[in-house]
C-alpha cells in the first residue's frame, strides 16, 4: 500500500548536493525521488507523479528552466509545485523574467530550514492532508494527524484504505478521479490491483459515511470515475 506521505522529486546533478537535500527531506518524512538530469527528471515525473519538484537551474543537457517549462505545459503536472534552485540571485531574476511557471525560487547557498519551510508551505496548499492538516468538507472532518474522521461530531471508523480514499477526495473536492488515478494514489503504482477493487472500497467508504442516515457525498461519474460532491 502506498502511504500518504508526500513525495518530492529532487533534480540535481551534483551528487553531494542531491544527497544533502534528500537526507533532510527524508528526515522530515518525505519520500524522495532522485534525478541527476532533466531527461531522467521528466521520465520520473511521468512515472511517479511527485507532489513537489525541487529543480536545479544548472543541469547538464537541458537546463532547469527548460525542464520547468516542459513540466508546466502538461495539464497533468501544471498544479505540481516547482521550486527552482539556482546558484546566483541574478539567475532568479532571470527565471522570474522568463516566466517559466516555477512556483518559487531559492538561491544557493540556501538554509535547509528555509528550504523545508518553503516545501511545506507549498504542500499545505497542494497536499494539505499529507502535511498533517485537518480537512473539512460539508459536515465531514478528517484529521490527518490523528487519523480520525468525524461526521456531525460522530466519529466514523474507517479502514486504512477507506481512510486514504477519503483523504484523496477531501484534498480535492469536486475533482473527478478515474479508478486508475485512485489506484495510483491510494494503492501505489508498484502493486497490481484490479480496478474493481476500487469499487469495492468506494462501496465500503460510502456505507460508513452514510451509516447514520446522512446523505452519500460520493458521486459516481459514469464512464469517468468518482468525485466528492
Ligand atoms: Ca547543478
Amino acid at each position: 500500500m502506498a502511504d500518504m506521505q508526500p513525495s518530492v522529486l529532487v533534480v540535481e546533478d551534483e551528487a553531494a548536493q542531491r544527497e544533502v537535500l534528500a537526507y533532510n527531506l527524508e528526515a522530515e518524512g518525505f519520500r524522495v525521488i532522485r534525478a541527476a538530469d532533466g531527461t531522467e527528471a521528466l521520465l520520473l515525473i511521468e512515472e511517479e507523479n511527485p507532489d513537489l519538484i525541487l529543480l536545479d537551474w544548472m543541469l547538464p543537457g537541458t537546463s532547469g528552466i527548460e525542464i520547468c517549462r516542459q513540466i508546466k505545459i502538461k495539464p497533468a503536472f501544471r498544479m505540481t509545485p516547482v521550486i527552482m534552485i539556482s546558484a546566483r540571485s541574478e539567475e532568479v531574476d532571470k527565471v522570474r523574467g522568463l516566466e517559466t511557471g516555477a512556483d518559487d525560487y531559492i538561491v544557493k547557498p540556501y538554509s535547509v530550514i528555509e528550504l523545508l519551510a518553503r516545501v511545506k508551505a507549498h504542500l499545505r496548499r497542494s497536499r494539505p492532508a499529507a502535511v498533517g492538516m485537518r480537512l473539512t468538507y460539508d459536515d465531514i472532518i478528517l484529521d490527518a494527524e490523528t487519523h480520525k474522521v468525524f461526521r456531525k461530531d460522530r466519529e466514523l471508523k474507517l479502514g486504512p484504505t477507506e481512510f486514504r480514499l477519503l483523504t484523496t477526495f477531501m484534498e480535492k473536492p469536486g475533482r473527478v478521479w478515474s479508478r486508475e488515478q485512485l489506484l495510483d494514489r491510494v494503492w501505489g503504482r508498484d502493486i497490481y490491483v484490479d480496478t474493481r477493487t476500487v469499487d469495492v472500497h468506494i462501496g465500503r467508504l460510502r456505507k460508513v459515511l452514510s451509516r447514520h442516515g446522512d446523505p452519500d457525498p460520493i458521486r459516481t461519474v459514469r464512464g469517468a470515475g468518482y468525485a466528492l460532491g
Side-chain angles (χ1 to χ4, degrees):
M1 293 261 170
D3 60 27
M4 301 300 285
Q5 87 183 132
S7 54
V8 176
L9 173 67
V10 174
V11 191
E12 165 68 81
D13 57 312
E14 282 144 83
Q17 293 195 30
R18 189 170 64 238
E19 287 314 306
V20 167
L21 273 175
Y23 171 84
N24 283 288
L25 289 161
E26 280 167 353
E28 291 289 313
F30 297 102
R31 186 168 73 83
V32 177
I33 306 156
R34 297 160 169 83
D37 59 51
T39 312
E40 197 183 2
L42 289 170
L43 274 171
L44 287 167
I45 290 163
E46 293 281 351
E47 260 172 41
E48 305 260 352
N49 190 12
D51 295 311
L52 184 139
I53 300 162
L54 285 174
L55 181 57
D56 187 32
W57 155 294
M58 286 297 285
L59 292 169
T62 320
S63 76
I65 302 169
E66 183 51 31
I67 299 298
C68 185
R69 209 182 272 131
Q70 290 187 30
I71 295 166
K72 291 293 182 178
I73 55 172
K74 293 186 182 166
F77 307 114
R78 194 172 293 148
M79 303 307 284
T80 305
V82 176
I83 302 178
M84 289 219 58
I85 301 171
S86 67
R88 301 196 313 270
S89 52
E90 307 91 84
E91 287 177 346
V92 168
D93 295 335
K94 210 169 159 190
V95 175
R96 283 206 184 97
L98 286 168
E99 290 172 358
T100 52
D103 299 270
D104 207 349
Y105 315 87
I106 199 153
V107 181
K108 287 181 189 176
Y110 49 81
S111 116
V112 170
I113 293 167
E114 194 200 334
L115 184 122
L116 290 172
R118 298 231 200 143
V119 166
K120 286 178 194 166
H122 285 282
L123 287 170
R124 271 196 289 277
R125 288 194 283 272
S126 59
R127 289 289 317 278
V131 286
M133 291 178 77
R134 179 178 266 242
L135 306 178
T136 57
Y137 174 78
D138 202 4
D139 55 2
I140 304 167
I141 295 169
L142 182 147
D143 190 322
E145 202 142 40
T146 59
H147 273 236
K148 285 186 173 173
V149 177
F150 300 90
R151 188 162 194 184
K152 288 187 187 135
D153 301 326
R154 264 202 204 101
E155 190 180 346
L156 302 176
K157 293 285 177 196
L158 293 178
T161 304
E162 287 72 37
F163 182 83
R164 280 194 284 263
L165 271 172
L166 184 62
T167 304
T168 302
F169 285 128
M170 287 184 69
E171 282 192 326
K172 302 251 179 338
R175 177 189 159 156
V176 179
W177 294 84
S178 70
R179 288 170 177 80
E180 288 76 16
Q181 287 170 332
L182 289 172
L183 277 178
D184 282 351
R185 176 57 74 87
V186 174
W187 280 264
R189 294 201 156 213
D190 331 327
I191 291 168
Y192 178 77
V193 185
D194 195 281
T195 48
R196 275 169 298 185
T197 308
V198 176
D199 302 333
V200 171
H201 287 277
I202 292 277
R204 286 187 196 157
L205 175 60
R206 284 179 147 150
K207 208 167 156 189
V208 178
L209 290 174
S210 50
R211 179 159 293 156
H212 302 287
D214 297 315
D216 173 11
I218 296 168
R219 189 160 54 92
T220 305
V221 184
R222 200 174 285 273
Y226 298 102
L228 180 67

